[in-house]
Amino acid sequence: MSQLLCFLVLLLFPVSTQPMLWASSPQIAIQSAPPFFSPNHLMIRLDTSLTWKNNTGEAHSIVADDCQSRSRCSFDSGVIRPDHQYVLTRLAPGRYPYHCGLHPFMRGLLTVQTTASPSSDI
């Protein structure tokens, strides 16, 4: 039943392909309603810290999708209680799809780039 619910939520509220480009003080708000992470797709420069702020009344976590492979895990916040935050200080350049470890239907995308200007998604 929960897999069906996850499928339906992803079908109705897919991860956005349009990034918010070059945030100067990047913060992602964790919300109770879709898109759940706002902005849902964020592009940041290399060596930029990023904060996820839990604005809901329940616990969440931020887990990179690559953590499921067990060979590598780009980031895993652990539990973020209501009104708390998680700060990610450094990532290599790349695309990082992520999800809430407690609510896997909550999904987002982080892109880290080294260039001074955004590149197009081709």
Side-chain angles (χ1 to χ4, degrees):
M1 180 68 161
S2 64
Q3 289 178 338
L4 177 60
L5 177 62
C6 288
F7 173 76
L8 291 174
V9 169
L10 289 174
L11 184 65
L12 296 173
F13 306 103
V15 173
S16 171
T17 59
Q18 297 300 317
M20 177 182 165
L21 300 176
W22 305 116
S24 57
S25 296
Q27 181 171 350
I28 296 175
I30 303 171
Q31 307 173 142
S32 297
F36 302 113
F37 298 112
S38 181
N40 188 255
H41 181 187
L42 181 67
M43 186 179 297
I44 62 172
R45 290 186 188 104
L46 184 65
D47 296 324
T48 300
S49 294
L50 171 62
T51 302
W52 278 269
K53 172 79 167 101
N54 185 355
N55 296 322
T56 74
E58 58 186 301
H60 294 283
S61 67
I62 304 302
V63 182
D65 286 359
D66 66 4
C67 294
Q68 298 169 349
S69 70
R70 303 253 184 224
S71 62
R72 169 185 146 142
C73 184
S74 298
F75 52 90
D76 184 344
S77 68
V79 174
I80 306 169
R81 296 188 322 258
D83 297 318
H84 285 76
Q85 62 187 22
Y86 168 64
V87 179
L88 184 62
T89 56
R90 179 154 175 87
L91 278 174
R95 290 172 59 94
Y96 297 90
Y98 65 89
H99 61 278
C100 174
L102 304 173
H103 310 98
F105 56 88
M106 297 173 65
R107 303 194 54 75
L109 179 62
L110 172 62
T111 303
V112 179
Q113 292 194 342
T114 58
T115 59
S117 61
S119 63
S120 61
D121 287 308
I122 298 177

